[in-house]
Amino acid sequence: MQKLGESDRIITMLTRRHGRIRAAAKGVRRTSSRFGARLEPFGHIDVQVAGDLGNHGRSLHTIRQAESIELYGKQLGRDYPRYTAASAIAETAERLTPEEYEPSLRLFQLTLGAMRGLSVAEHASTLVLDAFLLRAMASAGWAPALTECAVCGAPGRHAAFAVPAGGSVCPDCRPPGSARPAPSTLELMVALTAGDWLIADASDASQRRECSGLVAAHLQWHLERGLRSLPLVDRSSSDGES
Amino acid sequence: MFEGAIQDLIDELGRLPGIGPKSAQRLAFHLLQADDADVARLVSALQRVKELVRFCATCFNVAESEECRICRDPRRSDESICVVEEPKDVVAIERTGEFRGRYHVLGGAINPLEGVGPDNLRIRELMARLASGEIKELILATDPNTEGEATATYLALLVKPMGIAVTRLASGLPVGGDLEYADEITLGRAFEGRRAV
């Protein structure tokens, strides 16, 4: 979301069929706006955009109409840790779609699922965020190796983890300076990737902290430029922790 | 494209928010044709605003001295502080004539997508003001959008343990409008915040 002129905004949307698109929403910053509330961040909306989607990037399209399907921002704005996690999810989704109008159905589904997961508050917000990041990286083709060596492919859980090598590494391939996360942390990362919430929810704070550190390092290594929102994620809350 | 001074002026005007190349050109030619006295007044106003205007040391509203007009006013109550995002929000609330306490201007809202976290706002300064023990109510008047809501939530979490009453501006229907035209979020908020009559 970006302010434009006196009362307009440029809205960045991740769409099911057209990938990431940007469009101007006229007058939505005025309190009298008919659909400004529906264009708030993190919402799932049905939107009508005027302009030729084939005319990529040459002109800014305009949002004509927006109907809400589920406005997750309403709940997320009232829960600070979840709001910061949702921001990191939205920024990651934007960064993983460098080109506009390139459809990415998997990323759309993951982002929508993550927003829904955050809003229902069934799991800790950091777990939902890390599960999204791991799966989004997998959809982009850079899933960290967790059940085999990232270098030689030797199967099994390996003790060392090297971000530049691409994940866990066996003793023979282990580069100097590799991290040695607790085995339970790698187990948590596998569970989050697979969506095994029983294991994920049972994890403790130290596992979650270590997992978040490895996931963030892996993501930022591949994105080459750090995410602005990731350092601002509020990890102090122990919501959903068992 | 023009040359020299007129193009420089168009370029400078074009850097202002909400001014596109066409508007910049129109303004530049308007200034070129304006009376010398009018242009001198504009130049003087621009210089004076940069020389004289600063942020109030207490509330961070715009001021022409160490403290702003509102912080200097002895008739205003010291028991409540209204927290807003920008100095222009102070003007909007002052227009209502409903509030006689003091203000605190945060300088924005928490927006991780823009890299703005709590440390980038004047939250530490607000906490220092609240620590004086004089304040009985903190009114959160951040914008009624997701960022403003999250900022209010964050502040409420910080301030409630201090025993200060924390309130949030009500959201609801605009006066003079028809109910059927209200969007579901605004109408929902109006329902949540309904009151006995």
Side-chain angles (χ1 to χ4, degrees):
Chain A
M1 246 184 176
Q2 193 184 329
K3 287 181 182 174
L4 175 70
E6 184 88 354
S7 61
D8 310 339
R9 278 189 204 281
I10 298 175
I11 310 286
T12 302
M13 295 169 283
L14 186 62
T15 65
R16 190 184 288 275
R17 278 184 295 168
H18 303 285
R20 178 174 62 83
I21 62 171
R22 292 167 82 239
K26 304 276 188 190
V28 290
R29 283 158 58 205
R30 293 187 206 278
T31 47
S32 57
S33 168
R34 290 278 310 279
F35 59 87
R38 298 179 189 134
L39 299 175
E40 282 293 295
F42 320 130
H44 184 201
I45 55 170
D46 193 358
V47 68
Q48 187 186 57
V49 177
D52 179 10
L53 288 184
N55 181 20
H56 297 172
R58 274 175 232 157
S59 62
L60 195 58
H61 304 303
T62 307
I63 295 176
R64 286 286 163 83
Q65 214 178 332
E67 294 297 330
S68 57
I69 297 173
E70 195 64 59
L71 299 174
Y72 300 114
K74 192 178 155 194
Q75 290 103 330
L76 298 176
R78 293 173 180 180
D79 185 327
Y80 187 69
R82 288 178 192 279
Y83 166 70
T84 56
S87 300
I89 289 167
E91 190 182 0
T92 305
E94 186 177 8
R95 292 285 297 280
L96 290 178
T97 49
E99 294 292 324
E100 285 189 65
Y101 308 104
E102 273 190 11
S104 177
L105 180 62
R106 176 78 184 132
L107 186 64
F108 173 83
Q109 288 168 332
L110 285 172
T111 309
L112 181 57
M115 292 302 174
R116 189 179 293 145
L118 278 179
S119 73
V120 296
E122 211 174 318
H123 310 289
S125 54
T126 52
L127 288 179
V128 177
L129 170 62
D130 287 338
F132 168 80
L133 296 178
L134 282 163
R135 293 179 203 180
M137 284 192 283
S139 83
W142 355 291
L146 298 171
T147 53
E148 70 281 316
C149 171
V151 180
C152 70
R157 299 272 173 88
H158 302 291
F161 191 96
V163 168
S168 50
V169 278
C170 70
D172 294 335
C173 302
R174 180 177 174 266
S178 300
R180 290 187 72 84
S184 58
T185 300
L186 288 178
E187 196 189 346
L188 173 59
M189 290 172 78
V190 172
L192 289 174
T193 309
D196 188 341
W197 288 101
L198 275 179
I199 291 180
D201 287 337
S203 59
D204 64 29
S206 70
Q207 285 168 264
R208 292 178 187 188
R209 212 169 22 248
E210 195 169 38
C211 168
S212 294
L214 291 176
V215 171
H218 195 83
L219 174 72
Q220 306 212 40
W221 169 269
H222 285 282
L223 286 177
E224 292 175 356
R225 195 157 49 86
L227 290 175
R228 286 192 284 194
S229 54
L230 211 48
L232 296 171
V233 171
D234 186 327
R235 300 178 189 277
S236 61
S237 163
S238 58
D239 53 348
E241 199 177 308
S242 44
Chain B
M1 287 290 278
F2 298 91
E3 282 181 359
I6 188 75
Q7 186 59 45
D8 290 346
L9 180 59
I10 292 170
D11 291 344
E12 290 305 317
L13 290 169
R15 287 168 56 188
L16 298 175
I19 306 287
K22 279 278 180 204
S23 301
Q25 192 174 310
R26 200 169 62 243
L27 289 170
F29 278 96
H30 173 81
L31 290 170
L32 194 62
Q33 285 163 5
D35 287 347
D36 288 353
D38 290 343
V39 175
R41 232 181 4 258
L42 176 64
V43 170
S44 155
L46 287 170
Q47 280 171 338
R48 275 166 48 83
V49 82
K50 287 305 287 178
E51 281 165 16
L52 298 178
V53 178
R54 59 183 109 163
F55 290 116
C56 169
T58 306
C59 74
F60 301 95
N61 189 7
V62 285
E64 287 197 15
S65 56
E66 182 72 9
E67 283 197 317
C68 70
R69 177 180 55 81
I70 296 170
C71 287
R72 286 198 315 266
D73 188 343
R75 292 166 300 173
R76 298 188 75 115
S77 164
D78 286 322
E79 292 191 343
S80 56
I81 291 184
C82 180
V83 178
V84 295
E85 291 182 16
E86 304 289 349
K88 56 188 183 223
D89 300 329
V90 173
V91 179
I93 294 175
E94 281 298 283
R95 272 204 308 262
T96 67
E98 294 282 335
F99 180 63
R100 297 298 300 160
R102 312 282 182 185
Y103 289 92
H104 190 88
V105 181
L106 291 175
I110 299 173
N111 187 351
L113 285 168
E114 298 293 328
V116 180
D119 292 344
N120 304 106
L121 304 176
R122 296 182 189 109
I123 292 178
R124 209 173 295 121
E125 292 84 345
L126 173 66
M127 299 310 284
R129 288 180 75 184
L130 297 179
S132 72
E134 228 176 324
I135 317 294
K136 294 205 167 65
E137 185 185 9
L138 187 72
I139 302 163
L140 300 172
T142 48
D143 285 347
N145 53 30
T146 308
E147 295 85 3
E149 205 63 48
T151 308
T153 306
Y154 179 85
L155 289 174
L157 279 174
L158 281 184
V159 176
K160 274 185 183 164
M162 299 169 84
I164 296 169
V166 182
T167 55
R168 176 93 173 105
L169 284 196
S171 290
L173 300 164
V175 176
D178 282 7
L179 197 75
E180 62 171 312
Y181 292 118
D183 66 89
E184 59 276 22
I185 308 287
T186 311
L187 196 50
R189 290 262 177 93
F191 251 96
E192 275 177 16
R194 70 188 185 277
R195 58 188 168 79
V197 287

